[in-house]
Structure formats: C-alpha cells, structure tokens
C-alpha cells in the first residue's frame, strides 16, 4: 500500500490557538514521513474545556470541522474526553479517533494497570465517564486530578511538570499504576521528561492518536454504518448554518 | 410547607412545537394543584433528537433555557437521554431532573425488572448509555427499539400504540420485564392505554419527572456544588451570545 | 387529580416508640398539606435493627402492618435497609417505598457521587447489600460507619451530630462524596444542621420517602404483579396468626 | 484427626415433613460413615418457600433451630435461597452452610459455566439474588424456572423429572450450561437420573452442603466474628420467646 | 458409600522438593483416615512460581503428572494461581481442584469479606486474575502482597510469620477483611499460629483443597465434558514426549 | 523519526507451517514500506491451538522465540488468545502485541459494538477469557463459535468463508454487532471478502497487530518494568534448555 494518501486532520477541542500550535508540533514530530497533518480549532466554543458545560458548547464547532472537510482520511479529536466522538462518527465514514481512547489502548499494551493524570479536580467525573465509554475501566488503577487548569499546562511548563510528577508518583506508589496517561492535550510534549524521571511509560495522548489514525487509514477500515453510527436522519435544524443539515453533507 | 413557590420549567429537547404542546398537556394534567408549569423548547437545535449528532446540536439551546431563566424552582429536561444534564446542573443551583432518570426511579419502585421501549433502532446505544449514566443497569431487563421516528410518535398515535404494544409484549414475555418505561417524551399520554392492555405498570417519563421535580423543590434540596457540578470557570467562549459566559449568569 | 386520597402509612422497622415519634415528626413537617400520614411500629421485633438477626426478626411484624391495613394508598418502610421490601410488594398492590432507596434516588438527582453515613461498623455489609439491591452501586462513593448505635441517634443528638459531621467530612474529603445520605431513620431531623456545616446536600431518608410515596400515589402507579411481586401462593403457614395466610388477605 | 466429633444439623426451611424426610434420606446416603446427621424443620413458617413473603416468615423459625441447639458442629440451611444465612452466622460460631452456595461451589469446580434449574417462574429474582449474594454471577450461564411448585417436586417425581429434563436441556443447548444445579431441596434424589440422561454433572444441593459441612468441621474453621457476623447486640425483642434474646443464647 | 476408593494426587506446581514435603505434611495431617494422598512435583519447571513466566514454564510438567496417572480419584494443583487448571480439566474426567479456588470457597463460607495475603509484590496481577477466574471478586476485600519470595516462606518460618501477620493486620484493619486466605502453598502449616494471633479465620489453601477433593470424590461428581473441558482434539504436538499426544492418553 | 529501525517478529502460536506462511503474507501486504517483518513458528507445541491444553503446551515454544531474539523492535503473538502474553512482556522490554487485543482496539474505534467470530464451539470460554483479559467486555456484542477447526480455516477457504459469513450475519442481526473481529490467525486474508458481503467492517487480527506494533515502535514506548512485567527472578528451571534461565537472557 501507499502512504501517500494519508491526510489527518487534528481538531483541538479548545479555541485556544497556542494549544493548537503545541498539539500540531507534537503531532508533526511523531507522524510517519508520508503522513500529512493539519491541526485546527473550532470557530466557536470555550478557550478551554474544563467542565461539562465547556464540553457541550465546544462540540458543535468541533463537528463543523468534520462537516466542512472533504479531504482528510481520518480525524482526531484532540481533547481528552473525546468530545462528541459518537456524533463525529455519524457524520463521516472516515475513521475518527479520540486522543483519550488512543492513549488507553497504548497504555493497555505496555502496562497491566495504568492511571490517568490530568487537570482540575472537578473533571474527575468527566474523565471517569470517558474511560467507561471506551470500555476499559478494569485496567484503570486510578484517575489523579490536580490544581492545573488547561491553560496552565500551556503557560507554565515547569510548574506543570512538577505537578504532574507529584500526581504520577502517587498513582504509581499508592494506586498501583505501571504507566501514566497524560489526560490533557495541553500536556503533549512533556511525556519524555516525565518518563525519564518516573521510570514508567508515559503516554502522550496526541501522539498515540496520530499512530491510531495512521493505522486505521493504512488498514482501510471505515466507521461502521450498520446502526449506531449511521448518518443522521435528514431534518430541520434551527439556529445553525445550512451546512449542518444532513442533506448538505458533502460526503 | 407551602406549595405556592413551586414553579417548574420543562424544556423539550426538540424544536418541534406540537411535541412541546403534548409534553405540556401531560405535565399539566399530573402536577399538584399549586405547582406552576411552563413548557418551552430551545431556540436552536434539530426538530427531533434521534442521533448523537442531533443531541449534541440540541444541548446549547437547551442550556440557554436555563441560563436565561431567573424564576423557576426546578428544571426538567424533556428528552429521554437527559441531554446535557451534567452541564445543566453546573449552571444552576436549582434541581435539574431528566425524564429518563425519573422514569427509571419510578420503575425501580414498582418492578423488579423493567424495560425501556423507544424509537428508532439506531438509538439503542444512546439509550443504553443513558441507563449507564443513571447507574441502574442491573435492574434493566432490556431496551426495545422500534421503527418509530420521534415525529411519528406525535403524528400517528394509533400506529404508535400498536408498535409500542408489540415491543412491550416482547419485553415482558421474552426479556422478563415487569414494567415498561416509555423512552421518548413524544409517547407521553399513551401510558394508560398501554398499561390497560399490557397489565403491567407503564411509566410516562414526563409525568415521572414532574413528580421528582415537585419532590426536590418540596425537600428544599439543591444541586451539590462540591465538585462535579460547581459553576463553570469563567473564560472566553467564542461564537455564542454573551449570556453564555459564566460571568454573565444571573444566578 | 385530587390530593385528598393520599394516605401514607409509615412503618418504623424498630419497636422503639420514641423513634416512631421522631420519624412521624419529620414526615409530618415535609408532607404536602393534603397528604395524611400515620406512623406505626410493629407489634413484634427488636427495639432497634443493627444486625441481620435483628432485621429478620423485625420483618414479620413489619409485614403485618401492611396485611392488616385496608386504608392506605402507599406504605413506607422506615428503616435504612428497606427490610422485607420485596415481600411487602408481594402482599399489596399499593406502592411500597423503602427509605433507603428513596434517599438514593434523591441523592442521584443532585450529586455525581454520594456516600451513606450510618450507625455501627457492623452494619457495613447490610448497607452495601441494600445499595446493591437498589442497583445504584456505581454512583456510591463510600459507606461510612460509626460508633453510633441506633438508639444513640435518638438519645444523644449533640453527640450524634458530631459523629455524623466527622464521618461525612471524611466521605467528602477522602472518598469524593458530593452529597450525604443519612443511613438511619433515627437520624431524621439532623439533615439541615449537617448540610449547613458541610456545604453539601444531606438527604433525610424519611423525608425522601414521603416525597416518593406522594409521587407514586399521584401518578396512580401500582406495584407490578407480573411475576416477582405477584401475591404469595396460598398455603399453610404454621405458628403465625390466621391473617398471615394469603387467603385471608383483605386486598 | 477424628471424625467422631462431626454432628451436622440440617434445617429444612419449609415446614413440610415429607420434604424433611427426603432431605434426610439424601443426606444420610452421602455422608461419611462417622458423620451424624439430624434433619429438622422449623416449628413455624410456611409449608413451602416460593416467594419472598414465604422466605421471610420462615426465617425466625429457622434461626430458632440454631438458637436452641447446643450439640451440633455445623448447620445446613436446606432451602435453595439460603434463607437468613447472614443472621444464622451471627448467632453461632459453628459453620453455617447454605445448600445454594454449596451447590455453586461444586458446580464451579467441574464446569466452566453452570445453570440453576428450579421451581416456579416467580422465584427467578430470588434465585438471581442468591447467586449475587454468593458472589458467583460471572460463572452462571442462566437461571431456568419452571411450572413446578415446591410441593410438586416431592409429590410427583415422574413429572418433576420430565420438567427438569426439559429445562436442563434448554440451559445446556441454548444458554451454554455445562453443569446443572438443582435449585430446590425437594429435588434431592433426582440428580443421578438427570445426569444419566443429560450427560453433564447434575448437582444435588443437599449432598453438596453435607460435604461442605464435613469439610469445615474437619478443617476446624469457625465463622469469623470480626465484624459482620459478630453476635447480635443485646436488646429487647418484642413478641418472641425469651430464648431469642441474645443474652439467653447458650453459646 | 465407601471411603476406600479415595486416592488424591497433589501436584506441587514448583520443582522444589522441600515445599513438596511441606505440602504433603499439611495434607496428610488434615485428610480423612481413609483417604490416601500422594504429593508429587513436576519433572520440569522452575523451582518456584513467582511470575507469569515461571507459571507458564511449570504447566507442561504439571499436566504430565495427570497424563501419566491412572490411579488417582482426584487431582489437586498446589500452587496458588491454579496453574493450567482448565487444561488439567480437559485431560481427565476426574475432579481437578486448585488450592486457590478451594481456599476462596472456604473463606466465602465463614466471612462476609476476605483478603488474600501472599508473596512478592509482583504477583498482585496474577493473584487478581486468579480471583477473577474463580468468579469471586465481589467478596474480596483486598490482595496484600509482601517482600516474601516463595522460597523464603519455606526457609525462614519465623520471618514469614511476622510478615504475614503484618500484612494480615493491614487487610483486617484497613481493607475490611474478616478472614485471611494464605496465597501460597509454601505458607501451609502457619494458619493456626496466624489465626490465634489475628482472631479471624486463616485458611490454608492446601488443607481446603484436600477437603474439596474428598468432597467431590464422595459425591461422585466428574468434570463436565460438555464443551469447555472436553478432551483435546487429537493432533501432532512437536517437541514433547509421545504421551502428551491426546491419542495416547490412558483415560 | 526514521522508520528504518522497525523490525517486527510475528510468532505464529501454532506449529503449522502453511498458517505461518499465510500470516506472513497478510502481514507483508499491510506493513508500511520501511517495516521489516519476519514470521516464525515455535520449535515445539501443537500444530493448532484449539483447547487450553494446546495453548499451554504452545507457550514455552512461543516464549523461546522471544528469548532467542536480539534484533526485533517488537513482537506479535499471532494466535487469537494472545497465549502467554504476560510472560512475553516479562522477558523483553520491547513491545509485545497480541493479535486479539489489537483487533479489539481497532474494532472499538469503528463500531459501538462488535462480535468475535471464530473456530470450534469449545473455544468459547477461551475467547471470552481473552476479552476479559484485555478489559473490553462492555463493548462486546457476542462471541460466535463455529464448526471450523483451526486447520480447516487454512485448507478449505471457500467453506471457511461460508461458515464465517453465516456466523457473522447472526452476530449482526441477532446480537447487535456492528463490526466483526476474525478470531483466528488462520482467517487472515478473508476480511475483505467478508466485509464486502456483510457491509460492516471486518477486522483481520494479524493486520491490526502489525499496525499496533508499528505504532508502538514509532512512539518509542516500551513495556513497563514497574511491577507486573518486570524481568523474572533468576532461579533454577528444570527440564528446559539453559537459555530459558533468566540469567542467560540476552536483553
């Protein structure tokens, strides 16, 4: 097979440009040479996702990035929560990968038990629901939340490293974690420093998702349209641009 | 205590006016005399919710109905899927009740096992996820989906009754259901006819939610702001009216 | 519908009169105006339920309070353990509500995770089994037991408050609880003081059950007689008064 | 060690003398030579246990058979539902074995998956709860209920055999059972005929429990008094003979 | 029935002769008088099992002890992990009992919750998988690992006792254990001293398995050959002696 | 990063040369251009794995292929059961991927529910245990076994296609599967024909594993040596060549 067809669009779930740039840098550095990656952010939504409210306001804009795309071979939802992923799978036949699930699959292949280390304490329930949605609760040692806001992870890398180090050590020593999943796209790029200090695998979710997307494109596997993920029914949708109507979908 | 303070706002998740009227009629007929009920629908969103895509596009409009409200003592999300309920609980201290969870609590009090009978086959996964979210999977005998679209349930009541009857009988005889939860707000009003023919309790989710809302208001219990449901962080939100910003919330 | 028909019988599971009086006071203060409440205790059984042994000796007397009743529209089992609730549902078509399950439903509507705070350490297994029976284990943060006997909760309210406060704080800070369910009918009346100090919702199980009973009567929903809760088979029962024989049931 | 000390009391949960005799016959035929077995039935309770109501009325009389016993080395609760077993373990330090749990342990040692085949359809929920209580749900292929009442199993052995054969075949062919647990003490004695015709192990619960009782006595293992099963607190118990008060327990 | 036919072969999973002798001593001291016990060890495999690697290398030799046996009425796999037990059940119709499962059944009959206390920290995952395989996760309070290697448990009994005592106390006080299962055959013989100091039942897995084997032989129950445990298909097997080929099996 | 370092060794779990050739053909056709793949089979073990017995006899030979390898960047265990995978992870720091888990991750990314369609009915329990081990039971719609032996899948491709088609259709129509995982390495190469006829994604486990191996090598993620997968303790191992001793491991 030829790699020349692999074009991946990464959608940062947050409308924060520096985070989009950071995600893009991580992705570009790990991709296979023949893969093309474009990283975007939604036109609408909160600058960071730290609550269910933020997440639900972000989703229509995230979906729009898929609706209006006609070129990509796969999509990555770059927010650890995989926001709107079931809907994303309904509106395209191309593979859609969430960075959360991708990081859990990788962790599952290198560790008997793993923990997710992430941002504000309030997101604990969101993170747990994401793990349940993926189906991998049995292998999860713990979820460790911190005092870091999403934007903190971008703006103060030294402090972020310290906080993640402390939370990860607790996960390893107290909870029995044997690998660490970084639970926020904004933490991308810190995995190597953390792994060096912790002595266990540290999974960057963005990098994991790039590999999963390349894999699915290479396999030629599309999203099942059998039942759950079939295209939405055509119907009137108020208050959204016309391209949100299913009958206007390009694909 | 006095009932005079109980004002409930019911938010139809769909932007379909006849369904709003039907929901309102059911609610008005079951409320306690001193309860006031107002039933509304979002300004934006699909006319019916039958996919994850529909659901996610509906949520911002649903939440707006809470954000802009300063009078209600409780809110009911009238779409069996309780769309956006975690976010709704973040943006108000008033109780927020989903019709799905309300119907499951009522079923749980009158039957050892119950089934949910609902619309299109494609919503099975959504319905199962809603039951998981509520926490009550152990008592669920089955989910029975049908060929009915959401709008069908409003427009052809005779056919709807026939289809629900057939699916319910399968749930009772094959799956061991001892009560039936109607899994769509549009089915409200058919519960008595179905119960008479089936010989088991049939739960109208809208009516169940009205009772739960009256109960919570009477108890004076508010949503916990301890962690998961605390108010969203203040931050910039692109592409939404200013009232969506947390710093502009009225309450 | 008219509220004039709502007559609820609350059955204290313990044969301790002061507790019956306390339960009654809580119930009378929270009921809707048109509801009539009668609170009784069994003729036989232990003065307090603190072991499986106590519970099983209490149940025949609890059931007798339903067998001999011909007037009530709903029954409440007022012991956090819902003793004999499946049997109670077999011997009447009227709704039977346990205070344990009622408190869990209310907690589930206002908090992502909740804990049960209760009496003696030895009841941990009983409390966990009650939560399993209700089906809501996934949302339970923890069960916190204490040194309080059931009668302590009635006799020394200041100490009870202190002990509950300490256990609740541990549940919130260590276990992630966002609301507290009081796991004993004897604690009824302390919920507001606790909520004020803890800053999270505290659910009085008796009050929650009154609301659930009013709800079910208002909905007109009866217990399913489809399979599990159908009336007991007629048969000879040794060593019990004749009214325990199914053929003598009034209803 | 000497076997001469092993005296087992089997308590038929039902007050039906022919069933007591049948249970005794099965037990006597399988016991080790040096074991002494006495089979009794309660002074009070229903002639057969086929509902939660029956079960709860039977338990005080079952417990009395332990309270008044000062000679036995172990007790067997001979009703598939292990009625009151937690309470029985509270009131004696001697091992208490339920026939349900005993049959499941034996099945678990000879088959990857097993089914329970039992009496009336209405007991399904009771049987499932018993399996949950034992902790072995993962290995259960199915519960198959029938039209047989408990007394039928004693009175019409030919019909009982036919009905059990049919239900067992369904369990094997449809549900994937590889062994059958007979879910009623009244079925004791039919296991060999069924096994011969079915070609899979058929577990008589009474025989299994005799072996477990002999095992525990031989091991010298007593019931843990650490927490859950410690002796009941001393307290006033109304309406029961004085020997039910914990301060009058002989042991 | 006659006990004269009960001949049990115990297979130490480790190729460490002193451990075989210790296991044999424990078994001989607990068996019924008419039971004959032979304790062996494999011809090949590691001297102790402390990793998945060790376990998998041990299994072919363990199975050979069954293949070449034509006299025994039951087999016991004497390594807490029940190594290769599914395969052992495929190659004989005689009952095969693992010491792990046997100890869990005994614990389940005397305690509401129990813990497994065992060797090196690294075996935690193996122990948890064994409990999952048996199906009894719900009743497990915790797994407590230590610094003890398998051979340590044989060679330094005083230290072993101290370490087990400390781990058991943590299990009881912190995790809620009400009985302790010794999670290594090498710990056999220490149960009484531990029980005396801890005040809770301590289960020696070897003794428990002897009782289960005697029970199954007395019941005449064989391994189900219905599906999972039917004899292996005949086929070419490279690199093993001819007696490993299914067509050469004696039974 | 450079792809030039990616050398993957695939270990067919069966000692059947034509299957090794078939696996190799599938793998070579799907790999990225710069990946080198070598496919081998063990020196010892059964020609096909269709029972626990077969599996346990195969594992030492599978592990030897890793022990003696000093060149590969990743290992794939090419038998749907991932035989010995925990041990394989102990003896190397290089990533080890099982074809079963790899196929489940891919299925999880393209379908809400999936089924595994596989060989002989007797392997049902093995397949279910593999899914449990991976942690993904919640997303599994069903396991469908057939009359196909492992060698059949190689030798009669037309019949294999028919049988798989029928089983897959049942999985889709009856069990709710939305994608199919082929549960045997011998089925590799049939995925496209099946997908074309079924209209849902069909996952070839060998291809999925190649992609996962390439991903892990590209990410530079090694197996965690924190606890469960650390190198085996050094000890005497009887009856195996010296290279099986941990002190002789090359890496």
């Amino acid at each position: 097979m030829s790699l020349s067809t692999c074009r991946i669009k990464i959608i940062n779930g947050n409308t924060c440009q520096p985070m989009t740039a950071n995600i893009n840098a991580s992705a570009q550095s790990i991709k296979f040479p023949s893969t093309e990656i474009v990283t975007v952010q939604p036109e609408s939504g909160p600058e960071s996702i730290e609550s269910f409210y933020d997440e639900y306001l972000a989703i229509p804009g995230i979906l729009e990035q898929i609706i209006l795309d006609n070129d990509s071979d796969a999509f990555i939802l770059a927010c650890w929560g995989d926001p709107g992923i079931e809907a994303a799978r309904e509106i395209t036949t191309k593979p859609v990968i969430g960075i959360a699930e991708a990081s859990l699959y990788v962790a599952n292949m290198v560790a008997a038990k793993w923990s997710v280390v992430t941002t504000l304490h309030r997101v604990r329930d969101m993170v747990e629901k994401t793990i349940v949605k993926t189906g991998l609760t049995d292998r999860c040692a713990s979820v460790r939340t911190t005092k870091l806001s999403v934007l903190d992870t971008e703006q103060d890398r030294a402090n972020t490293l310290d906080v993640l180090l402390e939370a990860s050590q607790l996960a390893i020593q107290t909870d029995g974690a044997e690998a660490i999943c970084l639970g926020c796209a904004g933490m991308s790029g810190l995995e190597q420093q953390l792994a060096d200090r912790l002595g266990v695998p540290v999974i960057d979710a963005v990098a994991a998702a790039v590999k999963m997307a390349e894999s699915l494109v290479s396999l030629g596997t599309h999203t099942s349209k059998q039942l759950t993920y079939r295209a939405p029914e055509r119907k009137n949708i108020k208050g959204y641009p016309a391209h949100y109507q299913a009958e206007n979908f390009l694909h």
Side-chain angles (χ1 to χ4, degrees), chain A residues 21-248:
Chain A
N22 184 46
I23 291 169
N24 189 57
S26 286
Q28 299 292 351
S29 73
I30 196 70
K31 76 179 183 65
F32 288 128
S34 56
T35 302
E36 279 177 59
I37 287 179
V38 178
T39 308
V40 300
Q41 61 189 45
E43 296 293 316
S44 64
E47 61 186 334
S48 63
I49 298 182
E50 295 169 320
S51 64
F52 286 103
Y53 181 72
D54 291 340
E55 183 169 289
Y56 286 123
L57 294 189
I59 292 174
I62 292 170
L63 298 177
E64 191 178 42
Q65 293 297 322
I66 298 174
I67 290 170
L68 294 178
D69 183 288
N70 210 12
D71 301 320
S72 301
D73 297 304
F75 299 93
I76 290 174
L77 304 189
C79 176
W80 214 100
D82 300 351
I85 194 163
E86 307 95 334
R89 285 175 175 152
E90 290 172 342
I91 58 176
T92 177
T93 58
K94 308 293 174 52
V96 180
I97 292 103
I99 64 168
E101 61 169 347
S103 68
L104 299 184
Y105 302 144
V106 170
N108 234 32
M109 284 186 274
V110 296
K113 297 270 180 191
W114 36 261
S115 288
V116 179
V117 175
T118 188
T119 56
L120 297 182
H121 296 304
R122 67 172 299 155
V123 304
R124 167 176 295 281
D125 193 60
M126 293 174 71
V127 169
E128 290 177 354
K129 283 199 167 96
T130 299
I131 299 170
V132 167
K133 191 163 67 174
T134 303
L136 280 170
T137 47
D138 283 356
R139 297 282 288 273
C140 177
S142 66
V143 174
R144 284 270 168 187
T145 53
T146 63
K147 293 192 173 178
L148 293 169
S149 74
V150 170
L151 299 187
D152 286 344
T153 66
E154 289 293 327
Q155 286 157 7
D156 185 346
R157 299 296 265 186
N159 178 52
T160 298
L161 203 62
D162 287 347
V163 172
L164 293 178
L165 203 58
E166 188 188 349
S168 298
Q169 280 163 338
L170 283 169
I172 292 166
Q173 286 153 21
T174 306
D175 310 331
E178 306 184 34
I180 299 295
C181 290
L182 297 182
C184 176
M187 296 166 182
S188 196
L190 299 175
E191 61 278 7
Q192 195 53 54
Q193 286 168 277
L194 281 164
D196 290 346
R197 298 198 201 174
L198 293 167
V200 304
V202 176
I203 318 296
D204 169 33
V206 172
V210 169
K211 292 299 131 186
M212 293 298 126
E214 290 172 329
S215 293
L216 287 180
V217 173
S218 173
L219 289 168
T221 309
H222 287 77
T223 297
S224 175
K225 294 289 159 179
Q226 176 61 24
L227 188 66
T228 303
Y229 299 143
R230 60 175 58 167
E233 321 296 310
R234 297 183 174 202
K235 67 187 58 165
N236 188 37
I237 298 175
K238 284 194 191 158
Y240 284 88
H243 54 254
Y244 275 97
Q245 305 265 146
E247 67 269 25
N248 298 330

